[in-house]
Amino acid sequence: MLEFLESITGVPTPLLFGQLLLGLINGAFYAMLSLGLAVIFGLLNIINFTHGAQFMMGAFVAWMLLNWLGLGYWWALLLAPLIVGATGVIIERTMISRLYKLDHLYGLLLTFGIGLMIEGVFRNEFGSSGLPYRIPAELQGAWDLGFMFMPIYRGWVVLFALICCLATWLVIEKTRLGAYLRAATENAALVQAFGVNVPRMITLTYGAGVALAALAGVLAAPIYSVNPQMGTNLIIVVFAVVVIGGMGSILGSVLTGFGLGIIEGLTKVYWPEASATVIFVIMAIVLLTRPAGLFGRA
Amino acid sequence: MASETTAGTIAPATSADGVWGFSRAQLAALGVLIAFLAIAPFFLYPVFLMKLLCFALFACAFNLLIGYVGLLSFGHAAYFGMGGYIAGYTAKAYGISPEIAVLAGAAVAGIQGWVFGWIAIRRQGIYFAMITLAMAQMVYFFCVQAPFTGGEDGIQAIPRGSLFGSISLASDMTMYWFVAAVFLIGFLLVHRIIHSPYGQVLKAIRENEPRATSLGYRTDDYKLVAFILSATLAGVAGGVKSLVFGIATLTDVHWSMSGEVVLMTLVGGLGTVFGPVVGAAVIVTMQNYLAEMGAWVTVIQGAIFVAVVLAFRRGIVGEIAHALRVKL
């Protein structure tokens, strides 16, 4: 069976599946981050350029909780999104909320500036080299799947990201809160007229989107080294993912994120030099054929 | 997005006051600028001034898009950096004279702007910014791997050569006059474009694109030409910069360079003629004085972004013009 697969794909099976798994993991991060961006964009109409920095803060808060307070991975998974989300709430209340009446591009510029500040502060404090974060004891080791060794932690990341995305979808599509949110996305003034506190909802939505980024950061901490630049390079790719998927649908964001991660992984097998640029090329092709994005509304 | 800073200031192409579309206040400012260019190298370090002028030209090119068409390109480093690489490579590998090298860099940047602009103008606003950023990141990865760029080392020891094959640019003073001339030509060119009938249509698109369309203008074509012009000028700025310093590196194609040119234009004043020059002067000077502070420069730049967006959206020149009730 494996020999047969090798003869079709032309590459050693462990290499193929290894890269596929790596692609799935990258896809998990793309999905979680683009989901947060889409939720924020839906209600606030701004692209949150700070998203990458907030992803990085999630990883750093996990590191600080462990090294300064002795609180391990499972605590970080709970606390880091809350802490970073709270900073997001402060940012929204003190700064972003002043811009809603202006051109949306000012929101982009503001959040870009905030992102620079956060990244600079962390670089001053921790340097650029990166800090290690150990995989929690419960998730160490690997399963032998027959055709490859699957590190348990990596499987966990993919599974947990899927659960997060599904939970977000359930909240937005199936709960009363989500119904308010969708209604406010369509027409905020009308929802406010019905007595819903829209400004508070906007603040909490921003906080939730940021918390999702921080959660992705905690998941990423044991895989990538924790360093101040980890978010910025990722977020540019996520922007391309958002353009490809369009920000109209939640499941669309998730599907696009995972799909592009897998494509990127496969490119690493067959044409390693192109793996850094393949997502941008796909973005160009999608723009030429379907400008609104695969799942977007024009 | 510059509409609120310049609302109601659209002058007809042939404004009665002033020369070449410059108002009286602008002529005075232009006089100050030219006087500064003439005197400055005798008081200030010429290499610093040349760096400043390269960035000023880069910011003017960027301002053509954001200030007059309302398009926020977040990937202008791609054209600036590529202009630098091509000019540096052709000057070093083929030993061609500097003006041809810069033109080669500008041409490649312009073609690149044509392709990327053609793709990016399919979307507007925030999407346009994200697409241009992503395209520029693609160029960055290309430059990391392409053999002619020298990867992490960049292209080093680029010769300045002799202008038109006869005037050696080896001395900083001679090079300065060349750079100052290129800057001034580029600056006046941007001004001329803005005040041409074509420029008036660009402003109409900025103010109300559906209306411009309904008046029969193919707005996408206008935007694309503006994008190509802006990319080409950015390529000129990058090409001259690589000749000045004799080096072309990945720094100039990195996304942070795209952010810097946005910051310069924003600080100086979006949609003002002299704003990008002042903004470039402020930011380059700041970087020069704070160079040893490392990552704090990033923090300060971020803080300036936040402060300008929240409290100071007209920028320095915009505020002065507003206070004096003139156009600058």
Side-chain angles (χ1 to χ4, degrees), chain B residues 226-319:
Chain B
F227 200 93
I228 296 169
L229 286 170
S230 176
T232 310
L233 273 176
V236 170
V240 173
K241 179 173 175 273
S242 72
L243 290 182
V244 169
F245 289 96
I247 184 167
T249 61
L250 289 171
T251 319
D252 290 347
V253 276
H254 195 244
W255 58 265
S256 53
M257 184 59 78
S258 300
E260 269 175 36
V261 76
V262 178
L263 182 61
M264 287 172 190
T265 315
L266 195 63
V267 166
L270 299 174
T272 61
V273 177
F274 293 90
V277 183
V278 174
V282 169
I283 300 298
V284 172
T285 309
M286 187 198 82
Q287 286 170 343
N288 224 39
Y289 281 105
L290 302 181
E292 69 276 10
M293 290 178 69
W296 284 113
V297 177
T298 316
V299 180
I300 293 168
Q301 284 186 344
I304 297 175
F305 252 110
V306 172
V308 172
V309 170
L310 285 180
F312 189 51
R313 280 184 288 277
R314 288 193 190 96
I316 296 172
V317 172
E319 289 289 349

Side-chain angles (χ1 to χ4, degrees), chain B residues 143-220:
Chain B
C143 290
V144 170
Q145 293 172 347
F148 81 94
T149 61
E152 299 283 342
D153 298 331
I155 305 174
Q156 296 181 356
I158 299 166
R160 284 184 188 172
S162 300
L163 193 60
F164 307 119
S166 54
I167 310 164
S168 167
L169 294 177
S171 107
D172 282 344
M173 261 324 222
T174 328
M175 186 71 191
Y176 172 81
W177 298 119
F178 171 62
V179 176
V182 171
F183 162 75
L184 207 57
I185 293 168
F187 177 80
L188 292 173
L189 182 69
V190 170
H191 181 80
R192 185 74 196 87
I193 293 168
I194 295 162
H195 288 84
S196 67
Y198 165 75
Q200 298 301 317
V201 179
L202 288 185
K203 284 183 234 172
I205 293 171
R206 177 190 71 190
E207 297 300 327
N208 192 335
E209 186 170 351
R211 194 157 176 190
T213 309
S214 76
L215 287 171
Y217 293 109
R218 293 174 180 233
T219 55
D220 277 1

Side-chain angles (χ1 to χ4, degrees), chain A residues 232-291:
Chain A
T232 321
N233 292 326
L234 189 62
I235 203 65
I236 300 178
V237 181
V238 172
F239 280 172
V241 172
V242 164
V243 172
I244 293 169
M247 285 191 281
S249 108
I250 296 202
L251 286 181
S253 305
V254 176
L255 214 62
T256 317
F258 276 101
L260 287 171
I262 291 171
I263 292 175
E264 198 183 30
L266 284 177
T267 317
K268 275 201 186 102
V269 178
Y270 289 102
W271 191 13
E273 292 82 9
S275 63
T277 47
V278 64
I279 290 185
F280 302 120
V281 174
I282 293 175
M283 179 190 79
I285 295 169
V286 168
L287 279 170
L288 293 177
T289 49
R290 271 186 74 103

